[in-house]
Amino acid sequence: MTQAPAATAPATLFDKLWQAHEITRRADGASLLWVDRHLVHEGSHHAFAKLAARGAPVAEPQLTYAVVDHYAPTRGRDAIPAGDIRRMIETLGQNAHRHGLRLFGLRDPDQGIVHVVGPEQGLTLPGFTVNCGDSHTSTHGAFGALAFGIGATEVAHVLATQTIWQMRPKTMRITVVGQLGPAVGAKDLALHWIARLGADGARGHAIEYAGPAVRALSMEGRMTLCNLSIEGGARLGMVAPDDTTFAYLKGRPFAPAGADWARAVALWARLPSDDGAQFDREVEIDASDIAPTVTWGTSPEEALPITGHVPNPAQLPPARAARASEALDYMGLSAGQALQGVAVDQVFIGSCTNGRIEDLRLAAKVLQGRRAKVPGLVAPGSALVKAQAEAEGLDRIFTQAGLDWVEAGCSMCVGMNGDLVAPGKRCASSTNRNFKGRQGRGARTHLMSPAMVAAAAITGTLCDVRPLLEGRV
Amino acid sequence: MSAGWTHHSGTAVALDLESVDTDQLIPARFMSVPRVQGYGPYLLHDLRYDGAGQKLPDFVLNRHEGASILVARRNFGSGSSREAAVYALVDFGMRVVVAPSFGDIFSANAVNNGLLPLALPEADVDQILAMLVAQPAEARVDLQAGNLRICGRDYAFQLPQVWREKLMNGWDDIDLTTARAPQIAAYKTARRASTPWVWPS
């Protein structure tokens, strides 16, 4: 590691990114930040309406990209019936056309979930600020970018000015020492730390993930980890860029090329936190402590190793007992019940958390030559992921196992496109939120890795994927 | 942006739940509605209405439809960036939510719409919930003084200056930012020179 110049205090990755984007700071402490990438989707209709009400143009159409994902049908795209879904998709298309934005529409070979498309197109780059009206924008932090979700008022502000007012968050480093075990991945790591610190455990903080277990993750794994930062309450999550990052980005359509590539890599290599840089908060996690992890309740913090038992409210302090009872009741589980063996009705593999090629490869490894006992949906994160998976024959593994292989989009993670879990049904899901009603009114969601979802499909129950992957990885 | 306010007096009710997330505040299926139609009917929809769309008479917001101050447990508004969660609260008539902690994006969205996310220590919130459990009470919030008065007790609260001023002045950020156009233009010129790949060719 190079030392920071003597005159400058050692800086964190976050400090460097914040400073590089701060245009000005008000006396009250709010900073005006430049936005390098602004991603919009169908849900941005409120912000476009605000812009229209002012008669304002989009300040930087070249830095603004529109993606159809939340409402994207995963089947029957050629004949979408009239109604809300079609209207939402058409409205985004009209707004993109009106303002001259690049649109990744339903028929685009590069369409997909905004947080999958951005990285795979090379739109997301180290050293950038990335905003999107979606909380899982934290995903893009995997590249060493300052990436955070914003609300509609802020989306309208970014559209109109290409800047955003922010109060500086505190910094927090989560150092993951040791090595993740076989069949234990970024999803398990994320659910593990959220269960330990709480769903509001990192509130008000910008997280940097560090340590050997994080360094060893692929870009897909880093994206999963950063994606779930918001589920632990963090404002954003980041991993410092390294050779893994550069190798992923080289040659991507929107990544710098030629002389700019070398110049960019030289700049990016200076982004990692300096030795001795101070964080407001430090947390250490031992990767070897982590088992495949599953949520049992209705908040991502309500997660346990698959070998565990759900809480018994009678043994909890009163303040926690009421909450646990309510969550168990909603989830249809009994006090103290073992997680292994809980029967599931269906499975879902996909989402901005776990809809990338590596996720599908691992799930396919579990499913190869086996049959699912319950129905399920596999929705790739993008059309490119879908094409890649089909080139590798993964689609046939899923369909031969009895699962449905469909088009790319947010799908059953949030159900806006009509892919819903019926009331009272239990779904093993590779998604990010087990909130009440998230996958449909009354739906019961268990979050887990795509490999664990595949294992649940085969046995029809929550179960440990490790024996099923023995000899396969 | 709503008009600014400095004092608010209204009826406070208890929503004795933790982690009231954005998907509960407004289920995703209602988010395609244009704002002009009003989001009040969708607030906490699946807690307020049964599967057939009938109001659940025992639910606190159905018993007290004029409430404007909501008191809940930790991690309120966690989850999605959907500003619709705030629209639902505001259009229902809420002006203040009191809780031990809030989702960060929810808080920013709230302040941008004139809704105060009022954070108090857990022990204070426990006390207030205990006072409200039997029946709602009138309460008064003073933004300038940073004080909540409820059931004869005073609770001081901290608020970032940025939020206090925005709530009181009803500022529109776009107007404030537009006044800084020359600084933004200068930054953009420098950014283009240092990192030309921000603007893909």
Side-chain angles (χ1 to χ4, degrees), chain A residues 65-105:
Chain A
Y65 297 82
V67 184
V68 173
D69 58 5
H70 283 72
Y71 289 83
T74 47
R75 287 170 272 222
R77 286 193 176 176
D78 291 332
I80 306 172
D84 282 349
I85 291 171
R86 194 162 100 186
R87 178 174 56 81
M88 289 295 279
I89 294 169
E90 287 174 352
T91 300
L92 180 69
Q94 287 156 7
N95 280 318
H97 181 73
R98 180 174 304 136
H99 295 285
L101 313 182
R102 166 77 163 91
L103 171 70
F104 295 87

Short mmCIF file of all heavy atoms in Angstrom, two decimals, chain A residues 65-105:
data_model
loop_
_atom_site.label_atom_id
_atom_site.label_comp_id
_atom_site.label_asym_id
_atom_site.label_seq_id
_atom_site.Cartn_x
_atom_site.Cartn_y
_atom_site.Cartn_z
N TYR A 65 -30.01 7.06 -17.77
CA TYR A 65 -30.35 5.83 -18.49
C TYR A 65 -31.65 5.27 -17.93
O TYR A 65 -31.83 5.22 -16.71
CB TYR A 65 -29.21 4.81 -18.36
CG TYR A 65 -27.93 5.33 -19.00
CD1 TYR A 65 -27.07 6.20 -18.32
CD2 TYR A 65 -27.63 5.02 -20.32
CE1 TYR A 65 -25.94 6.72 -18.92
CE2 TYR A 65 -26.50 5.53 -20.94
CZ TYR A 65 -25.65 6.38 -20.23
OH TYR A 65 -24.55 6.91 -20.84
N ALA A 66 -32.53 4.86 -18.84
CA ALA A 66 -33.85 4.38 -18.43
C ALA A 66 -33.94 2.87 -18.67
O ALA A 66 -33.57 2.39 -19.74
CB ALA A 66 -34.93 5.10 -19.23
N VAL A 67 -34.43 2.16 -17.67
CA VAL A 67 -34.48 0.70 -17.73
C VAL A 67 -35.87 0.21 -17.31
O VAL A 67 -36.38 0.61 -16.27
CB VAL A 67 -33.42 0.08 -16.79
CG1 VAL A 67 -33.40 -1.44 -16.91
CG2 VAL A 67 -32.02 0.64 -17.08
N VAL A 68 -36.46 -0.65 -18.13
CA VAL A 68 -37.73 -1.29 -17.77
C VAL A 68 -37.41 -2.54 -16.96
O VAL A 68 -36.78 -3.46 -17.47
CB VAL A 68 -38.53 -1.67 -19.03
CG1 VAL A 68 -39.76 -2.49 -18.65
CG2 VAL A 68 -38.93 -0.43 -19.81
N ASP A 69 -37.82 -2.56 -15.70
CA ASP A 69 -37.54 -3.75 -14.90
C ASP A 69 -38.65 -4.12 -13.91
O ASP A 69 -39.16 -5.22 -13.90
CB ASP A 69 -36.18 -3.64 -14.18
CG ASP A 69 -36.06 -2.42 -13.24
OD1 ASP A 69 -37.04 -1.69 -13.05
OD2 ASP A 69 -34.94 -2.20 -12.70
N HIS A 70 -39.10 -3.13 -13.10
CA HIS A 70 -40.05 -3.47 -12.04
C HIS A 70 -41.36 -4.08 -12.57
O HIS A 70 -41.92 -4.97 -11.96
CB HIS A 70 -40.37 -2.23 -11.19
CG HIS A 70 -39.28 -1.87 -10.23
ND1 HIS A 70 -38.08 -1.33 -10.63
CD2 HIS A 70 -39.21 -1.97 -8.88
CE1 HIS A 70 -37.32 -1.12 -9.57
NE2 HIS A 70 -37.98 -1.51 -8.50
N TYR A 71 -41.85 -3.54 -13.69
CA TYR A 71 -43.13 -3.99 -14.22
C TYR A 71 -42.95 -4.94 -15.41
O TYR A 71 -43.93 -5.36 -16.02
CB TYR A 71 -43.98 -2.79 -14.64
CG TYR A 71 -44.50 -1.99 -13.45
CD1 TYR A 71 -43.70 -1.02 -12.83
CD2 TYR A 71 -45.76 -2.23 -12.92
CE1 TYR A 71 -44.15 -0.30 -11.73
CE2 TYR A 71 -46.23 -1.50 -11.82
CZ TYR A 71 -45.43 -0.54 -11.23
OH TYR A 71 -45.90 0.16 -10.14
N ALA A 72 -41.71 -5.28 -15.76
CA ALA A 72 -41.45 -6.09 -16.95
C ALA A 72 -42.13 -7.45 -16.84
O ALA A 72 -41.82 -8.22 -15.93
CB ALA A 72 -39.94 -6.27 -17.13
N PRO A 73 -43.04 -7.77 -17.77
CA PRO A 73 -43.63 -9.12 -17.73
C PRO A 73 -42.53 -10.14 -18.00
O PRO A 73 -41.62 -9.90 -18.79
CB PRO A 73 -44.64 -9.11 -18.89
CG PRO A 73 -44.88 -7.66 -19.20
CD PRO A 73 -43.60 -6.96 -18.86
N THR A 74 -42.59 -11.27 -17.33
CA THR A 74 -41.61 -12.32 -17.58
C THR A 74 -42.14 -13.33 -18.60
O THR A 74 -41.44 -14.25 -18.98
CB THR A 74 -41.25 -13.04 -16.28
OG1 THR A 74 -42.45 -13.37 -15.59
CG2 THR A 74 -40.38 -12.16 -15.40
N ARG A 75 -43.41 -13.15 -18.99
CA ARG A 75 -44.02 -14.00 -20.03
C ARG A 75 -44.97 -13.14 -20.85
O ARG A 75 -45.47 -12.13 -20.37
CB ARG A 75 -44.80 -15.15 -19.38
CG ARG A 75 -43.90 -16.22 -18.79
CD ARG A 75 -44.69 -17.21 -17.95
NE ARG A 75 -44.78 -16.71 -16.57
CZ ARG A 75 -44.64 -17.49 -15.49
NH1 ARG A 75 -44.41 -18.77 -15.63
NH2 ARG A 75 -44.73 -16.99 -14.28
N GLY A 76 -45.20 -13.54 -22.11
CA GLY A 76 -46.21 -12.88 -22.94
C GLY A 76 -45.93 -11.41 -23.23
O GLY A 76 -46.83 -10.58 -23.23
N ARG A 77 -44.67 -11.10 -23.48
CA ARG A 77 -44.31 -9.69 -23.72
C ARG A 77 -44.91 -9.13 -25.01
O ARG A 77 -45.02 -7.91 -25.16
CB ARG A 77 -42.80 -9.54 -23.78
CG ARG A 77 -42.19 -9.65 -22.41
CD ARG A 77 -40.76 -9.22 -22.39
NE ARG A 77 -40.31 -9.28 -21.00
CZ ARG A 77 -39.08 -9.04 -20.61
NH1 ARG A 77 -38.14 -8.72 -21.48
NH2 ARG A 77 -38.76 -9.11 -19.33
N ASP A 78 -45.24 -10.03 -25.94
CA ASP A 78 -45.75 -9.54 -27.23
C ASP A 78 -47.21 -9.12 -27.15
O ASP A 78 -47.72 -8.48 -28.05
CB ASP A 78 -45.57 -10.62 -28.31
CG ASP A 78 -44.09 -10.83 -28.62
OD1 ASP A 78 -43.32 -9.86 -28.45
OD2 ASP A 78 -43.71 -11.95 -29.00
N ALA A 79 -47.87 -9.49 -26.09
CA ALA A 79 -49.30 -9.16 -25.99
C ALA A 79 -49.64 -8.77 -24.55
O ALA A 79 -50.37 -9.46 -23.85
CB ALA A 79 -50.13 -10.37 -26.42
N ILE A 80 -49.06 -7.65 -24.10
CA ILE A 80 -49.33 -7.20 -22.73
C ILE A 80 -50.71 -6.55 -22.72
O ILE A 80 -50.97 -5.61 -23.48
CB ILE A 80 -48.29 -6.17 -22.27
CG1 ILE A 80 -46.87 -6.74 -22.45
CG2 ILE A 80 -48.51 -5.78 -20.82
CD1 ILE A 80 -45.77 -5.73 -22.19
N PRO A 81 -51.62 -7.08 -21.91
CA PRO A 81 -52.98 -6.49 -21.91
C PRO A 81 -52.96 -5.04 -21.43
O PRO A 81 -52.07 -4.63 -20.69
CB PRO A 81 -53.75 -7.39 -20.95
CG PRO A 81 -52.74 -8.16 -20.18
CD PRO A 81 -51.46 -8.16 -20.96
N ALA A 82 -53.96 -4.29 -21.91
CA ALA A 82 -54.09 -2.90 -21.46
C ALA A 82 -54.25 -2.91 -19.96
O ALA A 82 -54.86 -3.81 -19.39
CB ALA A 82 -55.31 -2.26 -22.14
N GLY A 83 -53.67 -1.90 -19.29
CA GLY A 83 -53.78 -1.83 -17.84
C GLY A 83 -52.55 -1.17 -17.26
O GLY A 83 -51.72 -0.61 -18.00
N ASP A 84 -52.45 -1.26 -15.93
CA ASP A 84 -51.38 -0.53 -15.23
C ASP A 84 -49.98 -0.93 -15.70
O ASP A 84 -49.12 -0.07 -15.86
CB ASP A 84 -51.48 -0.82 -13.72
CG ASP A 84 -52.57 0.00 -13.08
OD1 ASP A 84 -53.09 0.91 -13.74
OD2 ASP A 84 -52.90 -0.27 -11.91
N ILE A 85 -49.76 -2.23 -15.90
CA ILE A 85 -48.41 -2.69 -16.24
C ILE A 85 -47.99 -2.08 -17.58
O ILE A 85 -46.90 -1.51 -17.71
CB ILE A 85 -48.36 -4.23 -16.26
CG1 ILE A 85 -48.50 -4.76 -14.82
CG2 ILE A 85 -47.10 -4.75 -16.93
CD1 ILE A 85 -48.68 -6.25 -14.70
N ARG A 86 -48.87 -2.18 -18.55
CA ARG A 86 -48.53 -1.63 -19.87
C ARG A 86 -48.37 -0.12 -19.81
O ARG A 86 -47.45 0.45 -20.39
CB ARG A 86 -49.61 -2.02 -20.88
CG ARG A 86 -49.14 -1.78 -22.31
CD ARG A 86 -49.99 -2.54 -23.29
NE ARG A 86 -50.98 -1.65 -23.89
CZ ARG A 86 -51.94 -2.08 -24.70
NH1 ARG A 86 -52.03 -3.35 -25.02
NH2 ARG A 86 -52.80 -1.23 -25.20
N ARG A 87 -49.26 0.51 -19.07
CA ARG A 87 -49.19 1.98 -18.96
C ARG A 87 -47.88 2.43 -18.31
O ARG A 87 -47.24 3.38 -18.76
CB ARG A 87 -50.40 2.48 -18.14
CG ARG A 87 -50.42 3.99 -17.90
CD ARG A 87 -51.72 4.41 -17.21
NE ARG A 87 -51.97 3.71 -15.96
CZ ARG A 87 -51.42 4.04 -14.79
NH1 ARG A 87 -50.59 5.06 -14.70
NH2 ARG A 87 -51.70 3.35 -13.70
N MET A 88 -47.45 1.74 -17.26
CA MET A 88 -46.20 2.12 -16.58
C MET A 88 -45.00 1.98 -17.52
O MET A 88 -44.10 2.82 -17.54
CB MET A 88 -45.99 1.25 -15.34
CG MET A 88 -46.95 1.54 -14.20
SD MET A 88 -46.72 3.19 -13.50
CE MET A 88 -45.32 2.87 -12.44
N ILE A 89 -44.96 0.89 -18.28
CA ILE A 89 -43.84 0.66 -19.19
C ILE A 89 -43.86 1.70 -20.32
O ILE A 89 -42.83 2.26 -20.69
CB ILE A 89 -43.91 -0.78 -19.74
CG1 ILE A 89 -43.67 -1.77 -18.59
CG2 ILE A 89 -42.91 -0.99 -20.87
CD1 ILE A 89 -43.97 -3.21 -18.92
N GLU A 90 -45.06 1.98 -20.84
CA GLU A 90 -45.17 2.97 -21.92
C GLU A 90 -44.82 4.37 -21.44
O GLU A 90 -44.21 5.15 -22.18
CB GLU A 90 -46.60 2.94 -22.51
CG GLU A 90 -46.84 1.70 -23.36
CD GLU A 90 -48.28 1.56 -23.85
OE1 GLU A 90 -49.15 2.36 -23.41
OE2 GLU A 90 -48.52 0.65 -24.65
N THR A 91 -45.19 4.67 -20.21
CA THR A 91 -44.90 6.01 -19.67
C THR A 91 -43.39 6.23 -19.59
O THR A 91 -42.88 7.30 -19.93
CB THR A 91 -45.54 6.19 -18.28
OG1 THR A 91 -46.95 6.03 -18.42
CG2 THR A 91 -45.25 7.56 -17.70
N LEU A 92 -42.65 5.20 -19.14
CA LEU A 92 -41.19 5.34 -19.09
C LEU A 92 -40.64 5.54 -20.49
O LEU A 92 -39.77 6.40 -20.71
CB LEU A 92 -40.55 4.10 -18.45
CG LEU A 92 -39.02 4.20 -18.37
CD1 LEU A 92 -38.58 5.28 -17.37
CD2 LEU A 92 -38.39 2.85 -18.01
N GLY A 93 -41.15 4.78 -21.46
CA GLY A 93 -40.70 4.92 -22.84
C GLY A 93 -40.94 6.33 -23.36
O GLY A 93 -40.08 6.94 -24.02
N GLN A 94 -42.13 6.87 -23.05
CA GLN A 94 -42.46 8.23 -23.51
C GLN A 94 -41.54 9.26 -22.86
O GLN A 94 -41.06 10.18 -23.53
CB GLN A 94 -43.92 8.56 -23.19
CG GLN A 94 -44.90 7.81 -24.08
CD GLN A 94 -46.27 7.64 -23.43
OE1 GLN A 94 -46.54 8.19 -22.35
NE2 GLN A 94 -47.14 6.87 -24.07
N ASN A 95 -41.30 9.11 -21.57
CA ASN A 95 -40.41 10.06 -20.88
C ASN A 95 -38.98 9.96 -21.40
O ASN A 95 -38.31 10.99 -21.57
CB ASN A 95 -40.45 9.83 -19.37
CG ASN A 95 -41.68 10.46 -18.74
OD1 ASN A 95 -42.07 11.57 -19.07
ND2 ASN A 95 -42.32 9.74 -17.83
N ALA A 96 -38.51 8.74 -21.67
CA ALA A 96 -37.16 8.57 -22.21
C ALA A 96 -37.07 9.23 -23.59
O ALA A 96 -36.10 9.93 -23.91
CB ALA A 96 -36.82 7.09 -22.30
N HIS A 97 -38.10 9.01 -24.40
CA HIS A 97 -38.10 9.59 -25.76
C HIS A 97 -38.14 11.12 -25.70
O HIS A 97 -37.37 11.80 -26.38
CB HIS A 97 -39.30 9.04 -26.53
CG HIS A 97 -39.38 9.56 -27.92
ND1 HIS A 97 -38.52 9.14 -28.93
CD2 HIS A 97 -40.19 10.50 -28.49
CE1 HIS A 97 -38.80 9.78 -30.05
NE2 HIS A 97 -39.81 10.62 -29.81
N ARG A 98 -38.98 11.64 -24.84
CA ARG A 98 -39.15 13.10 -24.73
C ARG A 98 -37.85 13.78 -24.33
O ARG A 98 -37.52 14.85 -24.80
CB ARG A 98 -40.24 13.39 -23.68
CG ARG A 98 -40.54 14.86 -23.45
CD ARG A 98 -41.72 15.02 -22.50
NE ARG A 98 -42.90 14.31 -22.97
CZ ARG A 98 -43.70 13.57 -22.21
NH1 ARG A 98 -43.46 13.43 -20.92
NH2 ARG A 98 -44.74 12.97 -22.73
N HIS A 99 -37.07 13.13 -23.46
CA HIS A 99 -35.86 13.75 -22.94
C HIS A 99 -34.59 13.23 -23.60
O HIS A 99 -33.48 13.59 -23.18
CB HIS A 99 -35.79 13.55 -21.42
CG HIS A 99 -36.89 14.26 -20.68
ND1 HIS A 99 -36.90 15.63 -20.49
CD2 HIS A 99 -38.03 13.79 -20.10
CE1 HIS A 99 -38.00 15.97 -19.82
NE2 HIS A 99 -38.69 14.88 -19.58
N GLY A 100 -34.74 12.34 -24.60
CA GLY A 100 -33.56 11.86 -25.32
C GLY A 100 -32.67 10.94 -24.50
O GLY A 100 -31.44 11.02 -24.57
N LEU A 101 -33.28 10.05 -23.70
CA LEU A 101 -32.51 9.15 -22.85
C LEU A 101 -32.36 7.79 -23.54
O LEU A 101 -33.27 7.32 -24.20
CB LEU A 101 -33.22 8.92 -21.50
CG LEU A 101 -33.74 10.16 -20.77
CD1 LEU A 101 -34.37 9.73 -19.44
CD2 LEU A 101 -32.62 11.16 -20.54
N ARG A 102 -31.22 7.14 -23.33
CA ARG A 102 -31.04 5.75 -23.78
C ARG A 102 -31.99 4.89 -22.97
O ARG A 102 -31.95 4.89 -21.74
CB ARG A 102 -29.59 5.32 -23.55
CG ARG A 102 -29.32 3.82 -23.65
CD ARG A 102 -29.26 3.35 -25.09
NE ARG A 102 -28.63 2.03 -25.18
CZ ARG A 102 -29.31 0.87 -25.13
NH1 ARG A 102 -30.62 0.86 -24.96
NH2 ARG A 102 -28.65 -0.28 -25.25
N LEU A 103 -32.85 4.16 -23.68
CA LEU A 103 -33.85 3.31 -23.03
C LEU A 103 -33.50 1.84 -23.22
O LEU A 103 -33.30 1.40 -24.35
CB LEU A 103 -35.24 3.60 -23.62
CG LEU A 103 -36.37 2.65 -23.19
CD1 LEU A 103 -36.74 2.85 -21.73
CD2 LEU A 103 -37.60 2.84 -24.08
N PHE A 104 -33.42 1.11 -22.13
CA PHE A 104 -33.30 -0.34 -22.18
C PHE A 104 -34.71 -0.88 -22.04
O PHE A 104 -35.17 -1.19 -20.95
CB PHE A 104 -32.38 -0.86 -21.06
CG PHE A 104 -30.94 -0.41 -21.20
CD1 PHE A 104 -30.51 0.81 -20.68
CD2 PHE A 104 -30.02 -1.21 -21.86
CE1 PHE A 104 -29.18 1.22 -20.81
CE2 PHE A 104 -28.69 -0.81 -22.00
CZ PHE A 104 -28.27 0.40 -21.47
N GLY A 105 -35.43 -0.94 -23.18
CA GLY A 105 -36.84 -1.31 -23.17
C GLY A 105 -37.03 -2.82 -23.27
O GLY A 105 -36.07 -3.58 -23.34
#
